[in-house]
Amino acid sequence: MAPVPLSPVKVGHIDDVQELRNAKPTTIPERFVRDMTERPTLATALSSTSDIPVIDFSKLIKGDKDEVHSEILKLGIACEEWGFFQVINHDIELSLLESIEKLAKEFFMLPLEEKQKYPMIPGTLQGYGQAFVFSEDQKLDWCNMFALGVEPHYIRNPKLWPTKPAKFSETVELYSKEVRALCNNLLKYIAMSLGLRQQAFEEMFGVAVQAIRMNYYPACSRPDLVLGLSPHSDGSALTVLQQGKGSSVGLQILKDNTWVPVQPIPNALVINIGDTIEVLSNGKYKSVEHRAVTHKEKDRLSLVTFYAPSYEIELGPMPEFVDESNPCKYRRYNHGEYSKHYVTSKLQGKKALDFAKIHTKISN
């Protein structure tokens, strides 16, 4: 979570998309209309949904030796070939998933003036509004966001934790604790799939940074012109996505240069590899570009948790993944500096990772 920028960021007027949808404009405001190359094509929007890998967490935790070995192999393939997978039997109570989803929706249904008591200051990533906007002419996403820093406590901004709806903050606390445990466990098995010691990432990360962001995508009369969320990879180590029940299929991942929709499995969580794991594995496991599209009639809600190393940690490719046939692709850097770079740049594919890439000169 970035600190307040040193100089004010001028972002121009930003329409609240829920208010915009309710006003039923005859045309989509120009700042939301994407350039032709960025628009989701109808063919993409209607194409068959992807069968991204499914990992059974209960087999990793409670399975016999053969089941654990088999599931770790599946996990490794999922990370290497897809960068995304869905986790079933993840041990987080269904009632808690339902509670956080219900409260998130109730928050977004509050009157605008109530939500604006928790404003996202331009150039920062906590509060209510639109993130990653840095200029007055930048194209906007068809999405309202509400984001909070959760762990460690010093990244929190208590003024942004809402008093309405009732039990919102305590439910976020409880949910975040459960998701944190899931991330910690998944990273153990991801480490094992890479041939590392189980505790390798936990020991390296220090007190992990965790944030939650709730995204609300209202229906849009012209889903062919807008994007719910611009294409990007995540700066985290792992990202955990909970998709609202009954929501439209909005998540798309870039697989073999094609945007592929992801159909959520009921009660599953979608996990994706972030830039941090790509760097540490020297590109063996890659973070994957993804985006969100909108629907003509259905709203969509998603809850996203970002799990990343402590800001104080120095990161770079681990020696296990560097040799003559696979030279070092990324420099060493401070994770806090990378986070600052990431949250003060607009979402633009995997461009943020250029911060860490070693660009080799080609000799004539």
Side-chain angles (χ1 to χ4, degrees), residues 223-279:
D224 57 317
L225 298 181
V226 307
L227 285 175
L229 193 58
S230 301
H232 64 286
S233 63
D234 293 336
S236 56
L238 287 184
T239 300
V240 180
L241 170 71
Q242 177 182 339
Q243 307 207 59
K245 281 189 177 175
S247 291
S248 60
V249 176
L251 173 65
Q252 296 184 342
I253 64 175
L254 192 60
K255 173 73 170 163
D256 302 325
N257 292 315
T258 301
W259 287 107
V260 184
V262 175
Q263 176 69 56
I265 298 170
N267 307 322
L269 295 169
V270 179
I271 313 292
N272 65 276
I273 296 296
D275 295 345
T276 297
I277 297 296
E278 175 167 339
V279 169

Side-chain angles (χ1 to χ4, degrees), residues 35-156:
D35 297 336
M36 291 295 293
T37 54
E38 292 184 309
R39 294 177 189 176
T41 62
L42 200 60
T44 302
L46 296 177
S47 63
S48 60
T49 52
S50 76
D51 296 319
I52 71 167
V54 177
I55 301 300
D56 188 337
F57 186 69
S58 66
K59 287 183 180 177
L60 291 171
I61 295 293
K62 303 168 189 170
D64 60 32
K65 192 176 179 181
D66 288 342
E67 285 178 322
V68 173
H69 179 71
S70 172
E71 213 63 20
I72 288 174
L73 286 177
K74 279 175 64 179
L75 180 60
I77 292 167
C79 292
E80 190 164 0
E81 296 184 1
W82 287 85
F84 268 80
F85 53 93
Q86 299 200 56
V87 171
I88 59 173
N89 301 320
H90 44 65
D91 270 0
I92 300 178
E93 292 288 341
L94 180 57
S95 59
L96 182 55
L97 299 185
E98 290 171 345
S99 293
I100 192 80
E101 183 184 320
K102 177 175 175 285
L103 288 165
K105 190 165 186 178
E106 285 177 12
F107 175 83
F108 284 111
M109 293 304 120
L110 290 171
L112 180 61
E113 57 269 22
E114 181 67 30
K115 293 182 284 190
Q116 286 179 334
K117 291 177 181 177
Y118 313 102
M120 186 181 289
I121 297 167
T124 70
L125 268 191
Q126 296 199 53
Y128 176 78
Q130 277 236 14
F132 303 105
V133 182
F134 298 100
S135 70
E136 298 181 71
D137 57 359
Q138 185 180 327
K139 292 295 183 184
L140 299 174
D141 293 330
W142 193 266
C143 176
N144 285 337
M145 299 176 174
F146 182 61
L148 295 169
V150 179
E151 294 290 347
H153 278 221
Y154 76 81
I155 72 168
R156 297 187 182 198

Side-chain angles (χ1 to χ4, degrees), residues 154-173:
Y154 76 81
I155 72 168
R156 297 187 182 198
N157 183 341
K159 292 178 182 175
L160 296 177
W161 286 65
T163 54
K164 294 178 184 176
K167 295 191 175 179
F168 182 94
S169 294
E170 63 190 78
T171 305
V172 167
E173 291 267 23

Side-chain angles (χ1 to χ4, degrees), residues 233 289 338 341 346-355:
S233 63
E289 266 187 72
Y338 180 65
H341 166 75
K346 71 176 186 177
L347 296 179
Q348 201 171 354
K350 292 189 67 168
K351 198 170 188 321
L353 198 52
D354 287 348
F355 173 93

